[in-house]
Amino acid sequence: MRNLAFSVLISVVSINAWALVPPDYREPPSDLTAEIEAGFQLNTGNTESSSFNSRVKLVYDGEASKQEATVKAYFASDSEKTTAEKYDLQLQSNYKLKEGYIFGRGDFTWDEFGSYTRLSTVSSGYGFDVVNNSKTNLSLEVGPGYRYSMPNQTDDDPSPRSTRELILRAATKLEHKVHEYTTINADLTAESGKDNNTLTLDLNYKNLVFQDWAFKIGVNVKYTEVVPEGSEQVDTITSFNLLYTFQ
């Protein structure tokens, strides 16, 4: 009789627990998302080598605003010396409106082996979603900015002078879910100024491997109209990374 009562009690507790926590229960989505990735990289252009790269991205998406911060690091060396060392910092803050958003953005690059060793761009403007549904998000941004550029040293110009100029920045951002496990991202950014113009395409393919782990293939192509003598106008970075997402 005691065993029967115990069995009934266990059954009741199990039924109540099942009702409180259904088997398909998931934690509600967090406003904060973090991505960490690292992997192998191939460089062509001003730097040609095999190398290691890493990236950390933090996104806080609240009701009234959205904050993004991204840090990228690229490093390469051969048997004799370091051949590539580059660091990128991208910061953006969006203030949401009923239609679209107002943004402030900062892009900072340190590249010891690039055509420009220091690049800093600060911009602001207006952005809005052209398409926004469960599978596709396409947004456009446009606004004025200010750019600082320091060219790399060359034999003809061992002491280059920096340039400072007002620019117009326009960007298109696309995120498309092919299906539940596969996502394609494409960002196209154009910066136009009196002294120089640039066009950057950042394209990546992400496929979920296991839970929060994903395999990511990325291609970053940047075209710079005016570069120091002996430098390439096009820089291409191809990366093969393993990515982990915290939500």
Side-chain angles (χ1 to χ4, degrees):
M1 188 68 179
R2 180 180 300 174
N3 291 337
L4 178 59
F6 181 75
S7 299
V8 172
L9 179 61
I10 292 297
S11 299
V12 172
V13 172
S14 300
I15 292 173
N16 290 336
W18 186 277
L20 291 174
V21 184
D24 59 348
Y25 172 78
R26 294 183 180 180
E27 291 290 337
S30 172
D31 291 338
L32 180 64
T33 302
E35 293 182 350
I36 299 177
E37 65 180 81
F40 181 71
Q41 170 185 309
L42 297 174
N43 288 0
T44 61
N46 291 303
T47 56
E48 296 187 7
S49 62
S50 299
S51 58
F52 173 81
N53 76 92
S54 62
R55 170 181 169 271
V56 177
K57 182 177 181 179
L58 299 175
V59 179
Y60 179 80
D61 194 354
E63 293 184 3
S65 63
K66 181 178 180 180
Q67 319 296 330
E68 295 185 27
T70 303
V71 179
K72 301 178 183 178
Y74 308 92
F75 180 82
S77 62
D78 54 27
S79 58
E80 298 180 355
K81 60 182 180 179
T82 299
T83 58
E85 186 177 0
K86 180 181 179 182
Y87 306 96
D88 290 330
L89 173 62
Q90 300 169 348
L91 303 172
Q92 181 159 339
S93 178
N94 298 343
Y95 178 74
K96 299 179 181 179
L97 306 173
K98 291 184 179 180
E99 296 291 338
Y101 55 91
I102 297 174
F103 71 88
R105 182 178 177 89
D107 294 88
F108 310 95
T109 298
W110 298 263
D111 189 356
E112 294 300 323
F113 297 87
S115 56
Y116 289 88
T117 58
R118 302 291 185 272
L119 283 169
S120 300
T121 303
V122 179
S123 60
S124 63
Y126 176 75
F128 63 96
D129 292 331
V130 179
V131 179
N132 189 7
N133 54 47
S134 59
K135 283 192 173 183
T136 304
N137 179 263
L138 174 63
S139 62
L140 300 177
E141 296 179 352
V142 63
Y146 175 83
R147 180 171 61 201
Y148 166 86
S149 306
M150 173 59 75
N152 205 343
Q153 297 179 355
T154 63
D155 294 336
D156 295 334
D157 189 5
S159 301
R161 298 180 60 182
S162 62
T163 59
R164 297 168 173 83
E165 60 180 326
L166 297 176
I167 63 167
L168 177 65
R169 176 183 175 273
T172 301
K173 300 180 180 181
L174 171 67
E175 180 178 354
H176 177 67
K177 291 184 179 179
V178 180
H179 53 70
E180 183 179 359
Y181 303 106
T182 303
T183 304
I184 295 176
N185 292 273
D187 295 349
L188 182 63
T189 303
E191 295 180 1
S192 178
K194 180 181 178 181
D195 297 322
N196 209 345
N197 300 306
T198 63
L199 184 65
T200 305
L201 173 63
D202 194 356
L203 178 67
N204 64 74
Y205 169 90
K206 183 172 65 176
N207 189 74
L208 188 66
V209 177
F210 177 74
Q211 291 184 347
D212 296 325
W213 291 93
F215 177 68
K216 179 180 174 182
I217 301 174
V219 178
N220 182 280
V221 182
K222 182 174 182 179
Y223 168 80
T224 304
E225 184 178 8
V226 180
V227 296
E229 185 175 354
S231 299
E232 299 286 343
Q233 288 181 305
V234 179
D235 279 313
T236 303
I237 298 175
T238 304
S239 58
F240 306 88
N241 291 356
L242 189 62
L243 181 147
Y244 184 78
T245 302
F246 299 88
Q247 289 184 332

